[in-house]
């Protein structure tokens, strides 16, 4: 299943092949953050070694060089997600900050008492709590789109919830806890039929699926650089031009202003209106290289490889007696959430850590989803392009060993 080309790709990730605690590392927590390819590491190192400078302000080579690399990333991201214009790409700290920005600058200003926001049962806390903060202050109602036992959104129930008071829907494209790929394009169309805006949490989708914001007709879409082979500290918010233009700034500070006096301050144009202060320059430059890296491989190829890996992993783990998988959606990628008999997920994680395996256990910042499945936590193995069959086989063997300990 895993071809030679793929194993060459794995060599781009120095962190993937190591011995930890005397064991071969099997990194199976890519949904939390992806490992970084050497080209991204080299670019960040180069920035700090020879090219350190602040951006947008220095009339000297170093500053102009850093500014041009920083702004080149905006162009690359704009092309990557097919944004109509580069000014619609706002750099934030990550998906979490992108949601907070829209909650504070859009929902807080344009939604009122009696309006409704729809979220799904499978949202990450960062796509729940920012809306709750605003909802409480403004008297907005939050309603939940139900899911079925396979971990799929129930579209008929969603349609029933789409009444005229719904002003905003915010849903995850790919669930971090289940791997479900939601029918976002169809959901956006249905929301637009009742004039509701749609926010897409693409944190997990961005490194697994081709995203085209115009084809989706998304009003807002957010993701984090660190889940797509780039450094931590940078994320993206895409928004439709008329919406971003209508929204007040989120934070005040340098770069986001036009003229400042103590009597009145005017604001800079997009995207700078939403980018107050010195941004994470090296991370943004690294993000540009990560986009080049993904483009060189091709998202179609990545998706098809990860589908093979998911099928292999699912069949292998399912063959373990007492193992239950959470999330068996028809459309799914790169995540296997599971439990093993009555063994607590944290016990599993600690025991298999000694076998060199890194998985995530807990509620995965999706407590309402855990409540739906009536479990406090699950184990989660998640994949990326550097994951190989050996990683999965290592997990399988370690789980068999854990089972024996508890028998
Ligand atoms: N939305 C989804 C679907 C996510 O998976 C995450 C992070 C976020 C939002 C927040 O992203 P951040 O970069 O702003 O933190 N998910 C995970 C995870 O599954 N394990 O660790 C972080």
């Amino acid at each position: 299943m895993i071809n030679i080309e793929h194993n060459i790709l794995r060599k781009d990730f120095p962190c993937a092949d190591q011995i930890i605690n005397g064991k071969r590392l099997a990194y199976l927590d890519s949904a939390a953050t992806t490992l970084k390819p050497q080209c991204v590491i080299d670019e960040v190192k180069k920035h700090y070694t020879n090219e350190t400078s602040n951006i947008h302000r220095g009339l000297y080579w170093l500053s102009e060089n850093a500014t041009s690399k920083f702004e080149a990333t905006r162009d690359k991201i704009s092309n990557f997600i097919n944004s109509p214009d580069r000014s619609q790409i706002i750099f934030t700290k990550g998906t979490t900050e992108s949601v907070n920005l829209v909650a504070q600058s859009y929902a807080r200003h344009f939604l009122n008492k009696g309006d409704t926001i729809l979220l799904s049962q499978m949202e990450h806390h960062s796509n729940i709590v920012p809306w709750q903060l605003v909802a409480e202050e403004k008297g907005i109602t939050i309603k939940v789109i139900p899911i079925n036992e396979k971990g799929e959104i129930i579209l008929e129930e969603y349609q029933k919830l789409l009444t005229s008071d719904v002003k905003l829907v915010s849903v995850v494209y790919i669930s971090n806890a289940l791997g479900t790929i939601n029918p976002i394009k169809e959901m956006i169309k249905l929301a637009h039929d009742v004039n509701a805006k749609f926010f897409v949490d693409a944190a997990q989708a961005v490194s697994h699926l081709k995203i085209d914001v115009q084809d989706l007709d998304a009003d807002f879409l957010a993701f984090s650089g660190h889940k797509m082979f780039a450094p931590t500290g940078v994320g993206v918010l895409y928004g439709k031009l008329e919406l971003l233009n209508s929204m007040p700034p989120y934070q005040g500070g340098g770069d986001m202003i036009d003229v400042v006096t103590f009597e009145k301050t005017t604001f800079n144009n997009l995207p700078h209106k939403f980018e107050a202060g010195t941004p994470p320059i090296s991370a943004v430059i690294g993000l540009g290289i990560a986009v080049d890296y993904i483009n060189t491989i091709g998202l179609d190829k990545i998706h098809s490889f990860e589908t093979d890996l998911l099928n292999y992993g699912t069949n292998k783990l399912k063959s373990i007696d007492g193992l239950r998988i959470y999330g068996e959606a028809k459309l799914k990628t790169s995540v296997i959430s599971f439990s093993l008999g009555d063994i607590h997920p944290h016990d599993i994680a600690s025991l298999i850590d000694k076998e060199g395996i890194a998985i995530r256990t807990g509620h995965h910042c999706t407590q309402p989803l855990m409540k739906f499945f009536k479990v406090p936590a699950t184990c989660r193995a998640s994949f990326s392009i550097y994951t190989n069959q050996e990683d999965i086989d290592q997990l399988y063997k370690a789980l068999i060993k854990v089972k024996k300990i508890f028998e």
Side-chain angles (χ1 to χ4, degrees):
M1 177 210 35
I2 285 144
N3 56 31
I4 295 165
E5 191 187 11
H6 170 68
N7 273 323
I8 293 171
L9 266 184
R10 184 175 165 102
K11 293 204 187 333
D12 292 338
F13 295 83
C15 209
D17 281 313
Q18 325 181 41
I19 303 294
I20 292 187
N21 291 333
K23 297 284 168 155
R24 171 192 183 276
L25 170 69
Y27 182 76
L28 291 167
D29 198 15
S30 293
T33 199
T34 57
L35 303 180
K36 316 304 170 201
Q38 192 64 50
C39 54
V40 169
I41 299 167
D42 288 346
E43 187 66 32
V44 172
K45 187 172 171 205
K46 186 167 157 196
H47 173 79
Y48 286 119
T49 310
N50 296 111
E51 299 188 353
T52 297
S53 165
N54 210 325
I55 55 162
H56 294 149
R57 48 193 78 175
L59 291 175
Y60 53 89
W61 187 88
L62 280 175
S63 181
E64 281 165 5
N65 172 64
T67 303
S68 104
K69 286 189 172 182
F70 181 95
E71 289 300 333
T73 300
R74 203 185 305 277
D75 292 321
K76 290 177 191 181
I77 292 285
S78 182
N79 292 331
F80 187 61
I81 62 169
N82 195 26
S83 168
D85 194 89
R86 69 188 303 282
S87 67
Q88 293 166 260
I89 305 300
I90 317 285
F91 291 124
T92 62
K93 274 196 307 200
T95 310
T96 302
E97 192 179 45
S98 300
V99 182
N100 278 282
L101 192 162
V102 176
Q104 292 300 323
S105 290
Y106 181 77
R108 188 154 171 257
H109 282 266
F110 297 108
L111 270 60
N112 294 302
K113 194 171 166 54
D115 289 342
T116 297
I117 295 176
L118 295 186
L119 307 173
S120 87
Q121 184 78 39
M122 66 175 88
E123 297 313 312
H124 188 279
H125 296 164
S126 68
N127 194 26
I128 299 175
V129 184
W131 306 116
Q132 282 177 328
L133 293 174
V134 173
E136 199 165 315
E137 183 187 325
K138 301 274 308 211
I140 297 162
T141 305
I142 290 180
K143 289 187 185 165
V144 183
I145 309 163
I147 60 171
N148 62 25
E149 284 294 325
K150 287 183 172 171
E152 298 167 317
I153 281 176
I154 306 172
L155 279 177
E156 304 76 61
E157 296 298 325
Y158 171 55
Q159 267 172 291
K160 279 188 213 154
L161 286 168
L162 279 172
T163 43
S164 60
D165 53 311
V166 176
K167 295 293 185 294
L168 193 127
V169 181
S170 189
V171 171
V172 70
Y173 200 155
I174 297 182
S175 157
N176 67 315
L178 303 174
T180 307
I181 304 174
N182 285 318
I184 287 296
K185 187 173 172 183
E186 195 178 345
M187 292 182 77
I188 291 175
K189 187 172 179 317
L190 291 168
H192 287 169
D193 287 346
V194 296
N195 289 322
K197 304 293 181 220
F198 203 106
F199 185 109
V200 183
D201 172 354
Q204 295 295 335
V206 69
S207 72
H208 301 292
L209 284 183
K210 177 81 196 121
I211 291 175
D212 180 331
V213 287
Q214 294 189 67
D215 180 55
L216 290 175
D217 201 17
D219 297 295
F220 298 103
L221 183 137
F223 51 92
S224 303
H226 71 96
K227 292 187 198 287
M228 55 183 293
F229 316 118
T232 48
V234 59
V236 169
L237 171 68
Y238 158 83
K240 280 191 180 159
L241 204 55
E242 68 275 16
L243 296 174
L244 294 175
N245 272 326
S246 71
M247 288 155 56
Y250 172 51
Q251 293 180 331
D255 247 23
M256 53 74 73
I257 51 85
D258 175 26
V259 177
V260 178
T261 65
F262 280 112
E263 290 71 39
K264 184 174 169 57
T265 290
T266 52
F267 304 121
N268 205 339
N269 295 328
L270 286 173
H272 309 293
K273 180 172 85 171
F274 291 111
E275 294 179 359
T278 300
I281 300 164
S282 63
V284 171
I285 293 172
L287 175 60
I289 303 299
V291 171
D292 294 342
Y293 184 78
I294 294 174
N295 285 338
T296 306
I297 303 165
L299 272 160
D300 286 348
K301 214 184 215 177
I302 292 175
H303 186 55
S304 130
F305 163 71
E306 288 173 343
T307 303
D308 287 349
L309 206 58
L310 179 70
N311 291 338
Y312 177 78
T314 304
N315 290 333
K316 188 103 193 168
L317 295 196
K318 261 188 162 175
S319 71
I320 303 175
D321 196 31
L323 188 135
R324 176 180 169 191
I325 291 182
Y326 298 88
E328 296 193 279
K330 230 180 277 152
L331 288 176
K332 174 177 175 179
T333 190
S334 300
V335 169
I336 305 179
S337 247
F338 62 92
S339 61
L340 185 55
D342 295 334
I343 312 170
H344 196 285
H346 291 334
D347 290 335
I348 296 176
S350 314
L351 286 166
I352 68 175
D353 171 48
K354 295 188 177 52
E355 303 295 325
I357 298 159
I359 59 161
R360 181 70 177 262
T361 53
H363 51 61
H364 317 295
C365 298
T366 56
Q367 285 180 7
L369 182 64
M370 297 294 114
K371 196 169 171 199
F372 172 82
F373 282 112
K374 300 188 180 66
V375 288
T378 70
C379 300
R380 181 188 70 183
S382 55
F383 315 140
S384 186
I385 47 170
Y386 40 75
T387 311
N388 65 15
Q389 219 165 309
E390 258 183 290
D391 295 330
I392 293 170
D393 293 346
Q394 198 170 328
L395 172 65
Y396 170 83
K397 281 187 203 136
L399 291 174
I400 299 282
K401 228 170 156 177
V402 170
K403 241 182 90 125
K404 288 215 174 93
I405 294 172
F406 281 85
E407 260 166 16

